[in-house]
């Protein structure tokens, strides 16, 4: 599935991922390939990205925490998420 993370400043990440976990207002939840459509508010926490080959642009690498070669976390304060047609869009603050 495609993940796009957008902040007020720029698009921080766009690429193919195997899963993404987000801090929803009712608790953390994860989306995998072909997840049902969903729209949710996000709270303070980490967006957890898992992918085979994660390519983050140089100017945004410092915003992410690298867990291992296939997992990165992005701390956020709030936001919204939409999953539709196998594309996840995170609007993060």
């Amino acid at each position: 599935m495609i993940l796009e993370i957008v902040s007020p400043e720029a698009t921080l990440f766009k690429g193919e991922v195997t899963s993404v976990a987000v801090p929803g207002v009712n608790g953390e939840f994860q989306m995998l390939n072909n997840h049902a459509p969903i729209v949710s508010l996000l709270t303070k926490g980490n967006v957890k990205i898992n992918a085979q080959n994660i390519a983050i642009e140089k100017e945004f690498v410092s915003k992410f925490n690298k867990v291992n070669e296939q997992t990165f976390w992005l701390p956020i304060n709030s936001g919204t998420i939409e999953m539709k047609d196998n594309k996840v869009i995170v609007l993060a603050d």
Side-chain angles (χ1 to χ4, degrees):
M1 72 183 154
I2 301 296
L3 171 64
E4 187 171 350
I5 302 175
V6 181
S7 76
E9 299 85 32
T11 299
L12 302 178
F13 177 83
K14 185 173 184 179
E16 182 80 23
V17 299
T18 53
S19 71
V20 59
V22 294
V25 292
N26 293 321
E28 182 176 88
F29 63 96
Q30 181 180 39
M31 288 157 290
L32 301 171
N33 203 23
N34 296 313
H35 192 282
I38 187 172
V39 174
S40 180
L41 294 174
L42 302 178
T43 187
K44 186 173 184 162
N46 292 305
V47 176
K48 300 172 185 172
I49 306 165
N50 289 302
Q52 294 299 320
N53 295 309
I54 298 177
I56 299 171
E57 293 184 31
K58 289 180 185 178
E59 65 255 37
F60 304 125
V61 168
S62 64
K63 294 184 180 287
F64 291 82
N65 298 314
K66 183 176 181 178
V67 176
N68 57 45
E69 292 301 318
Q70 297 179 343
T71 307
F72 282 78
W73 290 9
L74 173 67
I76 63 168
N77 291 316
S78 64
T80 59
I81 186 166
E82 178 186 28
M83 169 72 166
K84 182 179 173 187
D85 299 326
N86 223 28
K87 181 176 182 181
V88 180
I89 299 173
V90 175
L91 303 175
D93 187 26

